[in-house]
Amino acid sequence: MKKIKITINGMHCASCASNVEKSLKKVPGVKNANVSLMLKKGTAECEDSVSEDEIKKAVVRTGYKISNIEKE
Amino acid sequence: MNHEHGKHDEPAEDEEIKIWKKKLIFSWLFTIPIAIFMFSGRLFGIEILPESWMVPILLVLGFPVLFIFGWDTIKSGMRGLFTFYFNMDSLIALGTIVAYLTGFLSFTGIVDDYSGVSAMIMAFFTTGKYVEAVARGRASQEIKKLLELGAKKARILKNNQEIEIDISEVKVNDILIIKPGEKIPTDGIIVKGESSVDESMVTGESIPRDKIKGDNVIGATINQDGILYVKATKIGKDTFLAHIIKLVEETQSEKIPIQKLADKITSIFVPIILVVALLTFFAWLIFSNDLSRSISIGIAVLVIACPCALGLATPTALMVGSGMGAKRGILIKKGEAIQTMKEIKIIVLDKTGTITKGKPEVAEVYPKEKEKNLFEIAASLEKNSEHPIAKAIVLYAESIGLKKYKEVKNFKILRGRGIEGKIRGKSIVIGNRTLMNERKISLKKFEETIKNFENFGYTTMVISENKIILGAIAVADALKEDSVEAIKKLKEAGLRPIMITGDNEATAKAIGEKVGIYEILANVLPEEKANKVKELQEQEKKMVAFVGDGINDAPALKQSNVGIALGTGTDIAIESGDLVLAKGSLNGVVQAINLSKATFKKIKQNLFWAFAYNTIAIPLAIAGVLHPVVAEIAMALSSITVVANANLLRRKKID
């Protein structure tokens, strides 16, 4: 298990954050995802096999951009 | 100050405010004429424009409002509609585009023109978003301050030369030089110099702390009056400040149970509203046979629904609450704790280090007249020991002005009982009752005094010279200055305080008496504390909070429903508590409880308003009593209200 932290650009409403969260949770291997509209940040708890690229794609798919991604 | 840094850390919030502001100004620039044209005719019967010019002009003026200044919203909304990741924008985009298109359709005569309305909806939406962004920025101001707290530059000593470097270049073991008034760049230990340091930004403690060689300092705190040479011990992600920031951010993105329903609704809200709007449109079309009216009502339903109010209710209040806490050295580590807090009935407090200072001090001396002689002997011996009691005695000796110590020979530590040694050939034994009995030293003359000391909960050290007793020193772990007051406040708040300690019954009772706690769990070994908490939870069937320093009572903090860890500065076990207090006072516990309750109340209030708004407003829109523009204004106001209400939390007194 690992945690991937992301900073998301372009979210401006609660349903935006909820969309990103949903999309992240759909990525195979992601156990849990939390996105904060207030901080424009999110975390995804996922299996080690999940790549940063997959996480990125999940965010972009919903129409937002990732400005920073880091593993913890 | 320095440009490289100012830029990359520009808070996203400010950027957002700027963008919305620009959009807002330009939108209204075009929308105000639209409003004048529309209402002058309708309300005052004045015709500025010939009837046939009206619609084309509205379409021209409305175009930039929607498709230039509102383009981001339209784009994001449309993408949402096509990718099935619906959002707030989807509602606005659909509502405004349909309204705009009626302008073209109106040329055919089948429908009235609502193109002006589309611009007004967008303008009000933009205005609402701007105000909301400002309010959200305000909600996070304390946290933002925390993020910006860190020093940007450091001055280090290299080859005996002072050089200024970027904070990111500082390495562990570098020697930092901090002049009066400067920020301490990173966590470290003082190797030279002394000063007082203002640690209020991280601990909430307003009085600067005196620091000397060997003391730890926290990065981002401010050096007051002396020059300090500090060896860096932690840098970057490992610093105390970085830990706090990480914590606050984690709390913020964590979900509180009460929020779950709101989140669930938010996530399915938009598609439901889309369906409802469509149904409303068809229902009105069938029953009224009035296409214009049906379109207008459908638009009103689309734009009145406000998932934002629901989604913002909890995070904004939590943001303000955790900001207020951070300012006072209170960290809400687990958001859930603020919800649990209101159910707490019993609060178990660890004695040592929580109610008391955790450091023994000399409390009484007998006989007081011979204090100096007594300590001259006692301190000379105790100086050789590292025991906390020995340290307390030496410290006291220094405080009454003793500087020279006598030479001690044959020094020996008698574990758990005392010490012995020879001064000028005389045999000195210092220790407890057991030791005196062991050495057959008669306590007769002092019996009453010693009993008295013991009844007070003091640890008593008897001093004897050649088997004759000279006097006794009572050592006690003193109460923290604000413990009595804090316990009183806890009781006033309806909590049942219980003290837990490894001390014997008598000592524990004496301390309890002093601080005002009458329920005591004495003789509890550290590893049994968690079990005791569990017993209380099971027997009393009540929620139990535990307050401790988190060092040897981490399991108890975990077992309790709300674990409150308190420490001083960096000596703090951040991991173990749900609430973490950076300043070690019990009053902080009272504040933390008040803050939790106030924040939770605010969250409930916000959720109530958000739910109430949507359950009242949406049916009204369906019923056709609200004009689309009025609906949009109501929507904007509802999310602004929620954020503004969260900001009102700051007015709450929690001290």
Side-chain angles (χ1 to χ4, degrees), chain B residues 375 378-379 382-383 389-399 405:
Chain B
F375 274 92
E382 299 283 11
K383 234 184 117 51
I389 291 178
K391 281 187 176 160
I393 290 174
V394 175
L395 210 67
Y396 188 83
E398 280 168 5
S399 78
Y405 296 104

Side-chain angles (χ1 to χ4, degrees), chain B residues 545-572:
Chain B
F546 187 91
V547 189
D549 59 13
I551 293 160
N552 59 23
D553 44 22
L557 285 168
K558 269 232 168 79
Q559 173 63 40
S560 64
N561 301 93
V562 176
I564 305 175
L566 72 175
T568 319
T570 43
D571 310 325
I572 177 175

Side-chain angles (χ1 to χ4, degrees), chain A residues 39, chain B residues 142-144 146-147 241-254 318-319 322-323 325-326 330-333:
Chain A
L39 291 167
Chain B
E142 285 99 350
I143 303 295
K144 247 187 271 164
L146 197 68
L147 298 173
L241 183 67
H243 271 123
I244 291 186
I245 290 171
K246 196 178 137 214
L247 218 89
V248 169
E249 288 188 344
E250 272 171 11
T251 311
Q252 198 58 42
S253 50
E254 184 203 345
L318 191 58
M319 182 65 107
S322 47
I330 301 165
L331 303 169
I332 302 170
K333 213 192 91 192

Side-chain angles (χ1 to χ4, degrees), chain B residues 12 140 209 212 333 370 454 506 529 549:
Chain B
S140 56
R209 289 165 67 92
I212 54 166
K333 213 192 91 192
K370 288 207 268 174
E454 281 170 356
K529 284 177 187 167
D549 59 13

